[in-house]
Amino acid sequence: MPRTHCIWIDRPRKQRLTHVYFRRAFALPAAPKHALFHLYAQTDYHLRVNGVFVGYGPARAYNEFPEYDTYDLAPYLKKGANVVGVQVAHEGLASFHHLSHEGLLVAWGDVPVGKRKRVSLST
């Protein structure tokens, strides 16, 4: 895993359900053949690329051993302007599915642009 950072809002709200939206806008000179994107969110997320729903998570796992999800974004990316968006719904309380933690999102991956250049999608 490349060097990434967990991100969240500056002032976490202490309430039961908080929706936080993250997005990355970038331009591509051509549509890529592959673009792997990995992400993990504390509680639930929905991933969209250029407004198209791609997937949701998190991956099923034991709370003590969280897993991340991997998507190939290439079918959703196009030449020109692109937007990758993640909506995270932080529960704000402990349950069978989630431990009581602050919300977070961590993501990594890149889009190849030519032979040596890449657009980073890492947090």
Side-chain angles (χ1 to χ4, degrees):
M1 176 169 74
R3 190 174 198 178
T4 60
H5 302 282
C6 296
I7 58 175
W8 196 244
I9 54 179
D10 291 335
R11 296 182 185 164
R13 297 183 337 181
K14 304 246 190 231
Q15 63 185 44
R16 185 171 184 286
L17 185 60
T18 302
H19 288 265
V20 182
Y21 299 86
F22 300 93
R23 62 178 278 174
R24 173 75 194 270
F26 55 94
L28 295 173
K33 292 185 175 148
H34 59 85
L36 292 183
F37 181 62
H38 316 277
L39 77 141
Y40 172 78
Q42 182 63 39
T43 70
D44 303 324
Y45 73 82
H46 285 167
L47 170 64
R48 288 181 174 77
V49 177
N50 294 323
V52 177
F53 176 78
V54 175
Y56 66 93
R60 291 181 178 261
Y62 288 103
N63 288 323
E64 298 83 11
F65 305 103
E67 296 283 335
Y68 60 87
D69 294 305
T70 300
Y71 298 92
D72 184 2
L73 303 185
Y76 309 98
L77 297 172
K78 62 187 189 309
K79 178 180 177 178
N82 290 274
V83 176
V84 174
V86 181
Q87 173 190 357
V88 181
H90 184 257
E91 297 290 334
L93 57 95
S95 71
F96 173 76
H97 299 287
H98 309 289
L99 296 176
S100 181
H101 291 292
E102 293 292 328
L104 69 86
L105 171 70
V106 62
W108 65 98
D110 52 37
V111 182
V113 182
K115 292 182 180 181
R116 296 189 179 163
K117 192 173 177 188
R118 298 180 172 283
V119 173
S120 174
L121 299 178
S122 298
T123 54

